[in-house]
Amino acid sequence: MSLFKGIDKVQVSGSGRYVTPGNYVLEVAEVKTFESQKKKGRHFFCVEGVVLSTTAQEYVPGDMVSWLVNITDHESALSNIKNFTMSLSPDMTEADVTPGSVDALCSADQPASGTKVRATAINVQTRSGGDFTKVSWAPYNEA
């Protein structure tokens, strides 16, 4: 019997290298959704990006970081996802962000892959006293 019995039935777990406080220029590598392995029925929206530049001490250019949004449990999830989606193009308006357009971002075609975006992350204290990293997104422009 192989030590790897069952490997064909599991998903790869995330890197755990999340966006931390700082300013970033990222190149989008992948946009996806997935269901939590630990809590069935909990869904996440995930952006993985390559760091092009950052003020965050933990990362250097070339590092991969992830931004997760808990779609199931957080009221602000759709607003945060819309903010990210609008950062993909300076010409995008709120009306351009539809369920279909976000589904397309998460598709196998990966239309956002290679797009540069700006992210600003700050720590915000939650009502329970913990820290939450709030990320604001903006289109990247070379100027």
Side-chain angles (χ1 to χ4, degrees):
M1 177 193 294
S2 172
L3 292 174
F4 304 106
K5 182 179 184 213
I7 197 167
D8 54 333
K9 295 177 178 50
V10 298
Q11 293 180 338
V12 175
S13 60
S15 65
R17 295 182 55 100
Y18 301 113
V19 173
T20 59
N23 296 311
Y24 296 80
V25 174
L26 301 174
E27 182 177 295
V28 176
E30 184 178 18
V31 180
K32 61 186 175 183
T33 59
F34 63 91
E35 183 177 6
S36 171
Q37 291 179 318
K38 293 180 182 177
K39 295 191 177 183
K40 294 297 180 198
R42 181 177 287 172
H43 291 87
F44 290 90
F45 177 87
C46 177
V47 175
E48 292 183 336
V50 177
V51 175
L52 300 178
S53 67
T54 186
T55 60
Q57 299 297 316
E58 300 88 344
Y59 302 119
V60 296
D63 284 346
M64 180 77 74
V65 294
S66 300
W67 177 66
L68 293 179
V69 178
N70 180 336
I71 300 169
T72 307
D73 298 332
H74 292 129
E75 223 173 86
S76 60
L78 295 180
S79 176
N80 292 330
I81 293 167
K82 183 177 260 190
N83 177 237
F84 166 75
T85 303
M86 291 178 64
S87 76
L88 296 171
S89 170
D91 299 327
M92 192 171 298
T93 67
E94 287 192 39
D96 295 325
V97 182
T98 64
S101 68
V102 180
D103 283 336
L105 285 178
C106 301
S107 72
D109 293 339
Q110 288 297 302
S113 180
T115 303
K116 294 177 184 176
V117 293
R118 292 191 180 279
T120 301
I122 60 171
N123 272 347
V124 177
Q125 195 161 69
T126 65
R127 288 181 217 147
S128 62
D131 278 337
F132 170 78
T133 304
K134 170 135 180 72
V135 180
S136 298
W137 298 92
Y140 174 79
N141 58 24
E142 306 262 348

